[in-house]
Amino acid sequence: MSAELDRFGRVKQQVTYLRVATAGLLLAAVVGWSDLLLLVMGHVVPGWTVSAGLFFVSLVLMGVHAARRLSADDRTLSGRALPRVALGLLAATAGLGCAAGAFSDFMGSAEYRVLEPAGPDGCVAVVRETSFLKISDGEVYAMGSSGVAWRESGSWMADDMHRPVAEGTYELDWNRSGGTFRVGGTATDPIVSADLNPLDCG
């Protein structure tokens, strides 16, 4: 009886490892292909780093699962949260998502900034700026007290690698209903296009 209970415990543990790993890969895929930003102790954490952490932990759990299945006592253990092919596709999707985010930040020399002053109820504007091939891109996010932003509030493109926030050619104003963010260029480095919506943390 005790042997059967021990066996049941190992099987349950195996299934738990794989289910947690599968859930981690699914979350990593969603986060890796999203515009998620986190604000942790005043520092901006891009979504691809969160995705990479989830991806790594999931791979470790999958490795533990595989190692236990190959052990002498657990060769007959089975039970997959997903078929092997589907699990592989999910892992590939998650891996490509975090790799794409890392590549974009690296190639564009991305800079993240939390702008002052803060708005009502601790709402802040967070900006990401990148430059590549003589063109600069930027996105602004409205982030509330939760420290989480899932989508950008606006974006812009500037000529000749001009970064409006880094170079101080921007304006940020707040009122009770939200914030207004504007970027400006120079005579030689104009703003090519801009689609900036009101900042709303609600």
Side-chain angles (χ1 to χ4, degrees), residues 74-97:
D74 296 337
R75 284 179 182 174
T76 59
L77 285 177
S78 60
R80 296 190 179 94
L82 285 176
R84 186 171 296 176
V85 173
L87 195 60
L89 289 174
L90 182 58
T93 301
L96 286 173

Side-chain angles (χ1 to χ4, degrees), residues 38-49:
L38 301 178
L39 188 61
V40 181
M41 299 181 66
H43 298 281
V44 181
V45 180
W48 67 263
T49 61

